[in-house]
Amino acid sequence: MSGANEARAPKTNPLNGFEETVKDFWASRPRRPHGGRKVAGVAAGLGQRYGIDPVVIRVALVAATVFGGFGLVFYLLGWLFFPSEGDDVSGFESMIGRGRSSMTTAFTVVLCVALIPVVGWTFGGGWFGTSGGWFDGGGLIGLALLSIGLYFLHRSRGQYNRPAPVVPYATAQAATGTGAFTMTDTTTATGTAAPDWDPLAASPGGWDLPDPAAPPPPPPSYEEPPAPQPRQPRSKIGSMTLGAAVIVAGVGVVLNLNGSSWFSVAHIIGLVLGVLGVGMVAGSFVRGSRGLIALAAPLAIAGMILTTSPFTGFDLKGGVGDLTATPRSAAELQPVYQHAAGNLRLDLTQMPLTGPITTTVSNGAGDTVVTVPATADVTFDCKNTAGSVSCLGHSGDGVGQSPITGTELGDDGAGGQKITLHVSNGVGDVEVRRG
């Protein structure tokens, strides 16, 4: 048996490799529809092309813009390279003379110019600046995630809803009746003329026949009502995703309470959003995760606020509610007073005149008030992420303000009890006063 005579089976899957998948995506790339679009129709085009809810795609692009910045770059690229519905080519291809597009050349140039600073902003740190934010390289990670997701999406669903090829205007056939020369005689055949005499020699008035009877009306048609569609079983992806998000949030909170500094509130929200994003993408194939958007949207806003503003003082450690402490000896004085939420009041006026004392006061959300003796020499640093600060005559107000530091002697001058205070607050008011 010769190997030359063996016939190979033809390839049934046109997307057998990376190159074929990329070429097929470009040849059948989505069209930006006129209906259902919010801005340029990029998300609506992707949703129609691959049978996915456009709301899920919009949420993914917004999340990619907030966490890394590449979502905006992807949207501008889609605006430039996805043809609009009814156009021959995209706006960028039309600008270089490849075909006709409804996007003007001037607007295409504006999009190209706008893409340059957006790309630089994305790979220079995005919302999180050049200092790293949540993590360095967020733009590169967003580029990789969106590219890989689009690649596998096209491999799995690229055979559906393929756009019909647009016939260029120049190749359209001429309509009939435009004066085009043909070899066909267009003269209507007259046929055989009817004779103008009666062969039976009968008078025309004798042919007085009754009018034919009208046909009976057709019986009324009866159409059976369509059978009700069976209700599809509800997908469990939404419930599973919500459960996984709760577990991830709980694990993050536990690790934060056990001293893991990386699991801050902002990081925990980011991890939960990642779980919700995976669930929404998976559920978009079976229409079972739309309800997760109601949870993902406010979390995305909260995450953006926490990352764009320096909310570094908010901590989950400590109790919840009002806390009041009045130590009366060095043994009762704690080195750290930490509270998660509520008002915290520390009174040091009952401390005996012993050696120097140092304590740290940290509150996540609420008002913090520390009272020191009138004659004490106090060295302090007061930090508040959002709210007002008043530390022994030094004050400030706003969001993300710099720490207030200094040393204030007592009413009797130098020689009083030495007290060192480190006060930090997340949201609320901070006050250090004399008793």
Side-chain angles (χ1 to χ4, degrees), residues 230-373:
R231 185 174 181 180
Q232 297 182 355
R234 185 175 181 180
S235 175
K236 297 181 179 179
I237 292 182
S239 301
M240 295 172 60
T241 303
L242 182 60
V246 172
I247 294 174
V248 169
V251 171
V253 172
V254 171
L255 293 175
N256 177 277
L257 296 177
N258 287 324
S260 180
S261 60
W262 189 88
F263 286 91
S264 62
V265 176
H267 285 178
I268 294 173
I269 291 178
L271 293 174
V272 173
L273 281 175
V275 174
L276 294 178
V278 173
M280 285 189 293
V281 172
S284 62
F285 295 98
V286 294
R287 307 282 182 177
S289 63
R290 192 181 182 95
L292 297 176
I293 299 175
L295 179 60
L299 282 179
I301 296 174
M304 182 180 65
I305 295 175
L306 289 175
T307 51
T308 54
S309 300
F311 282 90
T312 57
F314 190 80
D315 204 329
L316 297 177
K317 298 178 182 179
V320 176
D322 294 340
L323 173 63
T324 301
T326 307
R328 289 177 171 82
S329 65
E332 294 182 6
L333 179 66
Q334 300 180 14
V336 177
Y337 291 89
Q338 194 159 17
H339 204 50
N343 297 328
L344 193 157
R345 301 182 184 277
L346 177 61
D347 187 359
L348 300 178
T349 58
Q350 304 299 320
M351 288 292 297
L353 296 176
T354 58
I357 60 176
T358 301
T359 187
T360 300
V361 180
S362 177
N363 194 7
D367 297 337
T368 301
V369 178
V370 180
T371 306
V372 298

Side-chain angles (χ1 to χ4, degrees), residues 116-428:
I116 297 174
V118 172
V119 171
W121 165 76
T122 298
F123 294 100
W127 291 101
F128 315 122
T130 57
S131 60
W134 281 23
F135 45 81
D136 294 326
L140 292 175
I141 295 177
L143 168 62
L145 291 178
L146 286 177
S147 301
I148 293 173
L150 188 60
Y151 174 79
F152 285 105
L153 183 65
H154 188 78
R155 283 191 65 88
S156 62
R157 303 179 68 86
Q159 68 272 22
Y160 306 120
N161 304 324
R162 299 179 68 89
V166 180
V167 180
Y169 178 79
T171 61
Q173 296 181 358
T176 59
T178 57
F181 175 76
T182 61
M183 295 298 295
T184 303
D185 188 6
T186 58
T187 306
T188 304
T190 58
T192 304
D196 54 355
W197 54 277
D198 187 1
L200 299 178
S203 174
W207 299 92
D208 189 9
L209 300 177
D211 295 333
S221 60
Y222 174 75
E223 296 182 358
E224 296 184 358
Q229 296 292 334
R231 185 174 181 180
Q232 297 182 355
R234 185 175 181 180
S235 175
K236 297 181 179 179
I237 292 182
S239 301
M240 295 172 60
T241 303
L242 182 60
V246 172
I247 294 174
V248 169
V251 171
V253 172
V254 171
L255 293 175
N256 177 277
L257 296 177
N258 287 324
S260 180
S261 60
W262 189 88
F263 286 91
S264 62
V265 176
H267 285 178
I268 294 173
I269 291 178
L271 293 174
V272 173
L273 281 175
V275 174
L276 294 178
V278 173
M280 285 189 293
V281 172
S284 62
F285 295 98
V286 294
R287 307 282 182 177
S289 63
R290 192 181 182 95
L292 297 176
I293 299 175
L295 179 60
L299 282 179
I301 296 174
M304 182 180 65
I305 295 175
L306 289 175
T307 51
T308 54
S309 300
F311 282 90
T312 57
F314 190 80
D315 204 329
L316 297 177
K317 298 178 182 179
V320 176
D322 294 340
L323 173 63
T324 301
T326 307
R328 289 177 171 82
S329 65
E332 294 182 6
L333 179 66
Q334 300 180 14
V336 177
Y337 291 89
Q338 194 159 17
H339 204 50
N343 297 328
L344 193 157
R345 301 182 184 277
L346 177 61
D347 187 359
L348 300 178
T349 58
Q350 304 299 320
M351 288 292 297
L353 296 176
T354 58
I357 60 176
T358 301
T359 187
T360 300
V361 180
S362 177
N363 194 7
D367 297 337
T368 301
V369 178
V370 180
T371 306
V372 298
T375 59
D377 300 336
V378 183
T379 300
F380 58 88
D381 61 88
C382 300
K383 182 179 181 181
N384 194 11
T385 302
S388 62
V389 177
S390 176
C391 290
L392 300 178
H394 303 265
S395 61
D397 193 2
V399 177
Q401 55 187 310
S402 301
I404 296 177
T405 60
T407 300
E408 289 293 332
L409 303 178
D411 296 342
D412 57 352
Q417 186 179 20
K418 305 295 183 182
I419 298 178
T420 302
L421 286 177
H422 305 285
V423 182
S424 63
N425 203 67
V427 179

